[in-house]
Amino acid sequence: DQKYIIGVDMAEGLPTSDYSVAVVLTLKDCIHVATLRGRLPVDVFTQKYEELGRKYNNAVIAVERIGHGSTALDILARLGYPKVYTHEDKRKGWVTSSKTRPHMVDTLAIAIRSQSLTTYDEVLIDEAMGFQYIDGKSQAPKDGHDDCLFATMVGLEVRGKPGVSPHHYHPS
């Protein structure tokens, strides 16, 4: 059976907020096979990517746990989702911080340059093309988005972790 990872970047779900995005990658070959993107309430979006995870062989789901991600993680627990990424600090979810962000950006850049990430998602490609350093921080331009990028970065980071990596993966 093919194994998958879903990287999730949660947003507020308001019509003017950022997008919530869930990106599905194959664990072994890092092929981007699906994207769920929308401005939906946290509970609705979480239920949708939980269903997506089940469709993709109970994929490991890695949610950025800061902000609305913590609510999403509570919802996944209530739904009984079997494979939620647990960080090395023993808490569910991924943490994007000033410490992890540079590594995330570098990992994505290397994956793109080395062509080890395969994607045909036009939104993701557009976000990558517009991503830049502004005031010393890598981010989308003022009127742009980076939600698909961050969901992908979460997936790429978690994909290489023990217990998730194709070299460390142990079915539960």
Side-chain angles (χ1 to χ4, degrees):
D1 276 356
Q2 179 73 267
K3 307 283 188 244
Y4 299 91
I5 179 90
I6 299 177
V8 180
D9 182 33
M10 288 297 305
E12 197 171 4
L14 298 175
T16 57
S17 69
D18 285 339
Y19 290 93
S20 291
V21 178
V23 170
V24 184
L25 304 171
T26 59
L27 198 57
K28 183 178 178 193
D29 300 322
C30 202
I31 298 169
H32 179 183
V33 296
T35 301
L36 181 62
R37 179 177 183 256
R39 290 178 171 134
L40 300 170
V42 174
D43 60 327
V44 174
F45 192 79
T46 301
Q47 187 165 358
K48 289 192 177 297
Y49 68 75
E50 187 264 354
E51 292 167 4
L52 194 65
R54 292 192 189 277
K55 178 180 178 180
Y56 283 94
N57 298 334
N58 286 326
V60 174
I61 295 179
V63 179
E64 211 303 321
R65 73 178 179 216
I66 307 281
H68 299 285
S70 65
T71 303
L73 288 163
D74 289 344
I75 294 167
L76 286 173
R78 277 195 309 263
L79 293 171
Y81 193 79
K83 294 182 185 173
V84 177
Y85 171 72
T86 302
H87 193 266
E88 57 203 29
D89 66 7
K90 308 293 184 219
R91 293 176 55 206
K92 299 285 185 189
W94 174 259
V95 178
T96 300
S97 66
S98 59
K99 182 179 175 183
T100 61
R101 184 182 177 113
H103 190 270
M104 293 169 70
V105 172
D106 291 345
T107 298
L108 177 64
I110 291 165
I112 290 170
R113 280 195 298 275
S114 68
Q115 298 180 351
S116 60
L117 168 66
T118 302
T119 186
Y120 299 98
D121 186 300
E122 291 180 11
V123 174
L124 176 60
I125 293 167
D126 286 346
E127 287 184 7
M129 297 294 290
F131 205 65
Q132 54 193 280
Y133 283 91
I134 301 171
D135 298 327
K137 185 178 178 184
S138 51
Q139 58 193 354
K142 185 178 180 201
D143 294 327
H145 293 280
D146 55 16
D147 315 299
C148 289
L149 282 176
F150 273 92
T152 303
M153 286 189 261
V154 169
L156 288 173
E157 284 294 313
V158 170
R159 182 178 171 266
K161 299 295 181 191
V164 178
S165 163
H167 306 292
H168 301 102
Y169 185 79
H170 302 290
S172 52

